[in-house]
Amino acid sequence: MKSHFNLLDYATRVAVRSRGWLSNLPSDLCDALLRETVVIRLQAGHRLFASGDRAEGIWLCASGFVRLSRESSGRRRTLAYAYQGDAVGASGFFLGTQECDADVHSHATLLFLGRTDLQRRLNEWPQLSQAMLTVLAHQVKCLGEEVCDARYLPLDALMAKRLADLWSQHGQPLHPGGPANRIKLAMAQSELGELIGYSRQHVNASLKRLERRGLIAVTACGIVVHDPEGLRA
């Protein structure tokens, strides 16, 4: 389903500017840019692009999640889950071709900005280019930290750190009025394994060990974090 940005509700307008690329830009500049976007609502499983595809533009995430992943030696590895405020396909835009696969993980509202319009605006508005460079630099920093974590942290420490990160980004109340202790991003254990680079069996064993220590609970509603500070420790 596609529509014009002006038809979106106020909450969606706020969401796409809540963090990431557009969060620190002036309102008039953001509004001018967003008027050139096309709004797309997609169901889980839809592929936005595959590694090696020509980069046609970028997608701004207003709601839902987009999984970014790559396949190497027959194994799938998740690089990140893009969510509210993230720009999907930014690095591919500058490289000319996409460097990973992007798949809608849960029902998502995305704002697509085509290559020609985006390039024109980047040339016209230095602030926009500087903000994009900041986003890309942050992504490089995060990937560097993840490489070090995967190399040097034992499994349970790595799992605890990833769960703490997911909780801080996607925590929500399990019950109305309760603490934000449930991780909103729903993942199967195999998908969690692809995020940290371990098999489903290793993930299952690690989650059980963290559960026995009282740090988390694995429920039908997802992973509930009981002790975020304990996870970080």
Side-chain angles (χ1 to χ4, degrees), residues 31-48:
D31 289 340
L33 181 72
L34 294 173
R35 277 193 291 270
E36 299 182 357
T37 63
V38 175
V39 181
I40 308 172
R41 295 180 174 87
L42 299 171
Q43 299 294 325
H46 182 92
R47 172 154 289 187
L48 290 180

Side-chain angles (χ1 to χ4, degrees), residues 163-164 166-185 214-219 221-229 231:
L163 291 179
L166 291 170
W167 172 83
S168 65
Q169 295 167 354
H170 311 301
Q172 69 171 194
L174 184 61
H175 305 291
N181 55 2
R182 183 179 77 92
I183 296 175
K184 179 181 178 181
L185 175 59
L215 300 175
I216 65 167
V218 180
T219 73
C221 297
I223 296 177
V224 176
V225 176
H226 293 313
D227 186 359
E229 294 305 320
L231 287 177

Side-chain angles (χ1 to χ4, degrees), residues 53-59 93 96 98 112-116:
D53 286 354
R54 182 179 185 275
E56 302 293 347
I58 65 169
W59 289 258
F93 172 81
Q98 302 294 353
F112 177 72
L113 183 61
R115 168 172 285 277
T116 301

Side-chain angles (χ1 to χ4, degrees), residues 80-223:
Y81 284 91
Y83 63 106
Q84 181 177 298
D86 282 333
V88 177
S91 57
F93 172 81
F94 289 101
L95 293 170
T97 58
Q98 302 294 353
E99 85 289 0
C100 66
D101 302 333
D103 300 281
V104 176
H105 182 72
S106 64
H107 180 79
T109 298
L110 305 168
L111 280 65
F112 177 72
L113 183 61
R115 168 172 285 277
T116 301
D117 290 334
L118 177 56
Q119 187 64 65
R120 174 168 53 83
R121 291 306 190 185
L122 289 172
N123 291 337
E124 292 174 350
W125 299 333
Q127 284 177 285
L128 198 62
S129 299
Q130 291 168 4
M132 179 62 79
L133 287 174
T134 300
V135 169
L136 294 174
H138 179 71
Q139 290 177 358
V140 171
K141 176 178 178 288
C142 290
L143 287 173
E145 290 176 352
E146 289 174 9
V147 169
C148 290
D149 290 345
R151 182 176 179 85
Y152 298 114
L153 290 182
L155 171 57
D156 287 1
L158 179 60
M159 176 68 74
K161 184 173 182 179
R162 288 293 172 269
L163 291 179
D165 290 342
L166 291 170
W167 172 83
S168 65
Q169 295 167 354
H170 311 301
Q172 69 171 194
L174 184 61
H175 305 291
N181 55 2
R182 183 179 77 92
I183 296 175
K184 179 181 178 181
L185 175 59
M187 288 186 290
Q189 290 188 6
S190 58
E191 292 172 328
L192 186 53
E194 290 169 352
L195 183 64
I196 65 172
Y198 280 86
S199 68
R200 184 187 63 80
Q201 291 79 8
H202 283 95
V203 167
N204 180 266
S206 181
L207 290 174
K208 287 181 178 178
R209 288 191 292 269
L210 295 178
E211 199 167 18
R212 284 195 296 269
R213 293 172 59 184
L215 300 175
I216 65 167
V218 180
T219 73
C221 297
I223 296 177

